[in-house]
Amino acid sequence: MPDPDCIFCKIVAGELPAELVDEDERTVAFMDISPATRGHALVVPRRHARDLLEIEPDELAATLLAAQRVARRAHERLRADGVNLINSCGRAAWQTVYHFHVHVIPRYAGDPLKLPWVPAPGDEQQIAAAAAELRSAAAPRPC
Ligand code: 5GP
Ligand code: ZN
């Protein structure tokens, strides 16, 4: 069901302009309006889903397959040296548009992008405790 306030639903419907680069039955890919690097694209499911936690598995699979197609094209046609796929789920994770999307960000040797964290060895006990919680069959978190 399209969300009447969702800009990506409007792009999918052709009601807002966008530079489309790929589309199939389930997905549309278009250029990001504020590109991080040359060729930065967004891949979205045609069907509205808020985020990674809500999207249906087959829609997610189709969107990731489309992201792979766009990544391959960035590699072949833009001569990208690498690609980052990024998904932000929730405000704390920087999501700003609440229609699931995958950023396909072509990377070029020496480009200015940086990892958003500084890798450093973590506390082994804390890592193990988090792992135990992830493995546990605890009751679902209330909404
Ligand atoms: P998020 O912050 O949710 O991970 O990503 C949203 C992305 O959508 C941002 O990179 C932003 O530049 C892009 N964006 C926001 N509004 C528009 C728009 O109207 N058209 C296009 N093509 N991209 C948009
Ligand atoms: Zn939408």
Side-chain angles (χ1 to χ4, degrees), residues 1-3 6-10 46-49 98-99:
M1 187 79 161
D3 176 338
C6 172
I7 51 174
F8 289 176
C9 280
K10 288 186 177 147
R46 289 182 184 275
R47 181 188 294 228
H48 182 87
Y98 291 87
H99 178 130

Side-chain angles (χ1 to χ4, degrees), residues 2-142:
D3 176 338
D5 298 323
C6 172
I7 51 174
F8 289 176
C9 280
K10 288 186 177 147
I11 287 174
V12 167
E15 292 166 7
L16 274 181
E19 286 286 350
L20 268 55
V21 291
D22 185 272
E23 59 183 317
D24 65 14
E25 208 175 286
R26 287 180 187 269
T27 68
V28 176
F30 52 89
M31 303 306 282
D32 195 297
I33 206 167
S34 305
T37 64
R38 181 164 189 266
H40 179 175
L42 301 169
V43 186
V44 306
R46 289 182 184 275
R47 181 188 294 228
H48 182 87
R50 177 183 166 84
D51 61 24
L52 179 65
L53 300 180
E54 290 197 358
I55 188 169
E56 295 293 335
D58 53 346
E59 301 284 322
L60 176 62
T63 306
L64 283 175
L65 285 171
Q68 185 190 44
R69 281 200 299 275
V70 175
R72 284 184 167 149
R73 270 190 234 150
H75 178 71
E76 289 161 12
R77 300 182 197 172
L78 299 181
R79 308 242 168 248
D81 299 306
V83 177
N84 283 119
L85 293 188
I86 297 180
N87 168 254
S88 301
C89 178
R91 194 162 53 159
W94 310 325
Q95 186 173 7
T96 59
V97 176
Y98 291 87
H99 178 130
F100 178 82
H101 53 282
V102 176
H103 295 258
V104 180
I105 304 181
R107 299 300 306 275
Y108 304 94
D111 74 34
L113 303 193
K114 300 270 180 251
L115 261 186
W117 68 92
V118 180
D123 178 275
E124 280 182 23
Q125 281 188 344
Q126 287 182 15
I127 293 170
E133 285 189 52
L134 285 169
R135 282 191 295 265
S136 73
R141 179 175 162 179

